[in-house]
Amino acid sequence: MRNAVKLGLVLVCALLVVFTVAAEKEKKGKKKKAKAVDWSESTKIVWPPPPAEPVIRFFGSYWGDFNFPESRKGRLWKKLVGEKQDDRYIYRPFDVAVDSKRQRIYASAYAYIGVFDIVNKNYSQFTGKAPYLLRYVTGLDVDDAGNFYAVDAKSKVVVAFDPWQSPIRTYGDAETFVHPVDVGVNESLGRVYVSDSKANAVHVFSKEEGKLLFSFGSLGSEDGQFYKPGHIWVDEEGLVYVTDFFNFRVQGFDADGEFLFKVGSLGTSPGNLAKPKGVAVDSEGHIYVADSAFGNVQIFNREGEILLVFGEHGWEDGHLNLPSGIFIDDNDRIYVADSVNCRISVFEFLGTPEETPGASEAKAP
């Protein structure tokens, strides 16, 4: 009997030690990761640098579970029962889209979409729902109702999911697409625009019926032609911006696919592009282009003039490593799919100062 009591006491003590050690590790881990997402210092990173009035400010980064330590409650018990507890993170994001009303960030990462739910402080990975399981997600967009659109390049289809992640509609198929890349939604006209890199075209569908309306573009380097079109953006006016990858530019079209303007050209100076990827437009009509070769984002006006360059190649706060997609929300926050850094880097447009920085003030790539 005494031996049994002693054994029980030993077991209780051992469990207390395990709980104490694990709790300390958990506590230390949380402190360390909380520091990684403390954005108070990051807001001091601005472009152009002082003493000029700042136009762009680095806001912070989203990685994965690291951002939401609150959502990892109960991990101590799971460790004790032997359940694997690896932190999840967004792996090499290609594109990003934001539901401003629900405060959700969607990031495409090959076979899944990383979902950052800011309100509920949770990170999850969405792989689609039958019969639309995602195989290779590239482009993303979100409409006013909170439905999100995912381009599955391997299945050659665009799937619209409602805010509760149930599929509601599809656009295109293997007969329509060769290699779809990105998607943009025009709410006022009820249209969905999809870039197709291997067809060198943009396909336009009716939003509600999913019917193909028309396509525009062809192979070439003339105005209105493409050589591997990639990311796409539809602004508040209904203008369509398309990254023309191997023509080293971004082209602007009206809602019916008529060419309007272009920005960028091949080179290594501010205003030149080497590997243009994501494109987006802020509330004042400035055009943002992410360049994966230079590791930066360049801001243009519609006349093609370079206004500012922000970011640089690297791993620190405010740096970018092969940036890809870009999205600007209703609050002029700029989300960049920072691919090799495996994160979504967030910046903020602070408004145009009285004297907008010109090309002479922009930092060279």
Side-chain angles (χ1 to χ4, degrees):
M1 183 67 179
R2 291 181 179 177
N3 290 336
V5 172
K6 287 182 180 179
L7 180 59
L9 288 173
V10 169
L11 288 174
V12 169
C13 291
L15 281 173
L16 286 173
V17 171
V18 170
F19 271 85
T20 303
V21 171
E24 286 300 315
K25 288 183 177 179
E26 187 77 5
K27 188 177 179 182
K28 289 179 181 178
K30 284 185 177 180
K31 283 184 177 179
K32 183 179 180 181
K33 287 167 185 174
K35 185 179 179 181
V37 294
D38 178 5
W39 294 351
S40 59
E41 289 298 316
S42 68
T43 57
K44 297 179 181 179
I45 304 172
V46 296
W47 294 265
E53 186 176 349
V55 175
I56 299 293
R57 175 176 63 187
F58 176 67
F59 199 76
S61 300
Y62 288 97
W63 306 73
D65 284 330
F66 299 151
N67 295 95
F68 306 112
E70 299 91 340
S71 69
R72 289 153 53 220
K73 293 177 181 178
R75 295 173 68 86
L76 176 58
W77 170 253
K78 292 179 180 179
K79 286 179 182 177
L80 288 173
V81 298
E83 185 175 326
K84 193 174 181 180
Q85 288 296 296
D86 289 342
D87 282 318
R88 297 166 302 173
Y89 65 95
I90 190 74
Y91 180 73
R92 293 215 170 197
F94 179 82
D95 201 12
V96 58
V98 178
D99 180 350
S100 298
K101 294 178 182 177
R102 292 171 178 79
Q103 296 185 50
R104 292 178 189 163
I105 303 169
Y106 299 93
S108 60
Y110 294 93
Y112 66 87
I113 298 171
V115 183
F116 298 87
D117 188 333
I118 312 304
V119 173
N120 296 307
K121 298 181 179 180
N122 178 62
Y123 171 71
S124 60
Q125 294 179 341
F126 176 64
T127 58
K129 285 187 179 179
Y132 304 109
L133 298 178
L134 301 172
R135 300 172 65 195
Y136 182 20
V137 195
T138 52
L140 297 169
D141 200 11
V142 177
D143 67 19
D144 290 345
N147 303 313
F148 61 99
Y149 298 70
V151 178
D152 191 328
K154 187 168 286 187
S155 297
K156 299 184 180 181
V157 67
V158 178
V159 185
F161 297 92
D162 67 20
W164 301 274
Q165 301 183 347
S166 294
I168 56 176
R169 196 174 299 109
T170 63
Y171 303 88
D173 52 29
E175 293 184 3
T176 309
F177 298 128
V178 183
H179 186 78
V181 177
D182 200 11
V183 57
V185 179
N186 182 319
E187 293 282 10
S188 61
L189 292 179
R191 292 178 178 177
V192 174
Y193 295 77
V194 183
S195 58
D196 191 324
S197 66
K198 291 186 178 179
N200 292 294
V202 173
H203 306 292
V204 186
F205 300 84
S206 59
K207 181 174 178 285
E208 297 302 323
E209 294 82 18
K211 179 182 177 182
L212 179 64
L213 301 175
F214 62 93
S215 303
F216 63 90
S218 61
L219 176 62
S221 58
E222 299 298 320
D223 293 346
Q225 294 185 315
F226 300 114
Y227 189 6
K228 302 294 183 184
H231 291 268
I232 194 168
W233 179 267
V234 179
D235 72 9
E236 293 297 322
E237 298 178 44
L239 301 186
V240 183
Y241 303 76
V242 184
T243 301
D244 193 4
F245 188 79
F246 279 120
N247 282 326
F248 312 102
R249 64 188 182 185
V250 169
Q251 297 193 75
F253 301 85
D254 68 13
D256 296 322
E258 291 297 321
F259 171 83
L260 297 177
F261 56 83
K262 58 189 174 185
V263 303
S265 59
L266 178 62
T268 58
S269 300
N272 294 141
L273 301 170
K275 289 185 177 181
K277 290 290 187 72
V279 58
V281 178
D282 68 23
S283 62
E284 295 188 10
H286 305 125
I287 304 166
Y288 294 64
V289 184
D291 195 300
S292 63
F294 298 146
N296 63 22
V297 177
Q298 301 189 51
I299 308 177
F300 298 84
N301 59 23
R302 290 183 188 174
E303 289 69 44
E305 299 172 323
I306 181 68
L307 303 177
L308 185 69
V309 179
F310 67 90
E312 60 182 282
H313 178 78
W315 296 265
E316 301 297 326
D317 288 346
H319 292 180
L320 300 168
N321 197 344
L322 292 184
S324 187
I326 184 171
F327 191 97
I328 301 178
D329 71 9
D330 297 339
N331 300 309
D332 274 336
R333 283 189 180 161
I334 306 145
Y335 301 77
V336 182
D338 193 0
S339 181
V340 174
N341 285 332
C342 296
R343 65 190 179 190
I344 303 299
S345 291
V346 187
F347 304 82
E348 188 174 21
F349 172 58
L350 302 175
T352 304
E354 292 183 4
E355 294 183 5
T356 304
S360 61
E361 297 177 75
K363 184 176 180 180

